[in-house]
Amino acid sequence: MTAKADYTAYIEYSVEVAAARAAGKPLVALESTIISHGMPYPQNVETAREVEDIIRAAGAVPATIAVMGGKIRIGLSSDELELLGRSSDALKLSRRDLPFAITSGKVGATTVAATMICAELAGIRVFVTGGIGGVHRGAPESFDISADLQELAKTSVAVVCAGAKSILDIALTLEYLETQGVPVVSVGQDNFAAFYTPDSGFKADFRLDTPAEQATFLKAKWALGLKGGVVVSNPVPADEAMPREEIDTITAQALQEAAAQGVTGKSVTPFLLARIKALTGGRSLSTNIALVKNNARVGAQLALALGG
């Protein structure tokens, strides 16, 4: 039995995505932990639908990815988005968790790493998210490094994001990506983005402002046999951003609270995002929504430039 026959038994495409594949239309993958773990209800479901509509309006087809009923679902219905958005017990899936979610039949939402894996299996080369995971602050002692970074080193999918989440050690995250040979491309500026703020203070590897330039870069990379992903850093629009000093102060407070409460592992990021939202009076959520929508526009344009 071939590898393709093995994994296709675990994949199910929505009607919309199946039709797009048959017609050769460009697809854009979307993760689902942003729905289940990244935002509160109902903003999570509203944002998911709006992001999908932005991608459709640009001429591409959205493919939100999750695990349901023992299958990797490439594309979700409106009811399935609602289910994820209301779920209090959806599993948060990274690479190691996919087989368990499939074989247990549980509902699972895919992180950046898991979404990249599923997207590559489905032949999707562009993936839009909010921000990538990375090296956590204090990682030299805790060894807390997101699986997203190793996935970027091995899985050939372009990840359009607003940089790395500001709760991370961005300098070490970029150092890790360099070690793994993962190109970091910035859009519209020289510096790498920092999620809630446009500028992390650290330079990206390359600046490629247009979808055509980005697509040419990706095609050359993969044609040379250089497997692995590319980080496409797309800064949050300036009028939707948060002041860097403010978010740094609030993040430090949230990190102290997480440490005091013994929050570790997969629970850290959802805890911090929720605390930052509370400490900013909800302004961080508005910024989060704005940056995801902005990434959807850039990702859809890149998918069109790459072709179906």
Side-chain angles (χ1 to χ4, degrees):
M1 184 177 291
T2 65
K4 184 176 181 180
D6 287 337
Y7 76 74
T8 53
Y10 299 110
I11 293 182
E12 187 172 290
Y13 299 96
S14 70
V15 173
E16 181 183 24
V17 171
R21 282 167 53 85
K25 291 184 178 179
L27 288 156
V28 176
L30 298 166
E31 63 154 294
S32 46
T33 54
I34 198 170
I35 304 169
S36 62
H37 295 80
M39 295 182 187
Y41 183 85
Q43 290 98 331
N44 53 359
V45 176
E46 293 169 357
T47 301
R49 290 177 176 148
E50 289 169 358
V51 166
E52 288 196 342
D53 285 343
I54 287 168
I55 291 169
R56 292 186 185 102
V61 176
T64 301
I65 295 175
V67 174
M68 294 181 174
K71 300 282 188 181
I72 295 171
R73 302 295 303 277
I74 310 294
L76 300 180
S77 69
S78 181
D79 287 345
E80 288 163 344
L81 289 175
E82 185 77 19
L83 172 65
L84 267 180
R86 289 178 176 272
S87 177
S88 61
D89 58 357
L91 300 176
K92 186 179 180 183
L93 307 180
S94 192
R95 167 178 278 268
R96 70 176 182 184
D97 311 302
L98 281 169
F100 176 75
I102 290 169
T103 55
S104 68
K106 295 180 180 292
V107 172
T110 53
T111 61
V112 168
T115 306
M116 288 183 72
I117 292 167
C118 298
E120 186 175 54
L121 290 174
I124 303 173
R125 289 299 181 104
V126 178
F127 160 40
V128 164
T129 186
I132 60 169
V135 179
H136 282 258
R137 303 185 193 193
E141 291 76 37
S142 68
F143 287 86
D144 192 350
I145 301 173
S146 172
D148 296 354
L149 301 187
Q150 288 233 349
E151 208 58 55
L152 278 158
K154 66 182 72 169
T155 303
S156 298
V157 173
V159 181
V160 181
C161 59
K165 296 182 177 74
S166 56
I167 58 178
L168 303 169
D169 187 320
I170 293 180
L172 289 183
T173 297
L174 290 170
E175 193 69 39
Y176 193 102
L177 288 169
E178 180 185 7
T179 299
Q180 296 293 324
V182 178
V184 176
V185 170
S186 187
V187 181
Q189 63 183 35
D190 294 334
N191 281 6
F192 187 61
F195 201 63
Y196 296 119
T197 58
D199 188 350
S200 69
F202 298 94
K203 286 198 70 173
D205 298 324
F206 313 106
R207 176 174 173 173
L208 300 173
D209 291 346
T210 70
E213 289 174 315
Q214 296 153 18
T216 300
F217 179 94
L218 291 170
K219 289 176 181 178
K221 178 187 189 303
W222 293 327
L224 290 169
L226 298 173
K227 294 181 180 179
V230 173
V231 176
V232 180
S233 168
N234 181 46
V236 60
D239 59 350
E240 301 282 0
M242 297 194 64
R244 184 169 163 186
E245 288 186 2
E246 179 188 6
I247 200 66
D248 285 348
T249 300
I250 289 171
T251 298
Q253 179 180 337
L255 284 163
Q256 289 176 350
E257 292 178 9
Q261 295 180 37
V263 180
T264 59
K266 290 183 178 181
S267 301
V268 171
T269 297
F271 175 87
L272 293 175
L273 293 177
R275 286 302 296 141
I276 290 169
K277 173 179 175 285
L279 292 168
T280 60
R283 288 181 296 127
S284 66
L285 178 59
S286 297
T287 299
N288 195 347
I289 291 170
L291 66 85
V292 173
K293 290 180 179 179
N294 192 43
N295 293 344
R297 295 182 189 98
V298 169
Q301 292 166 1
L302 174 55
L304 288 166
L306 273 174

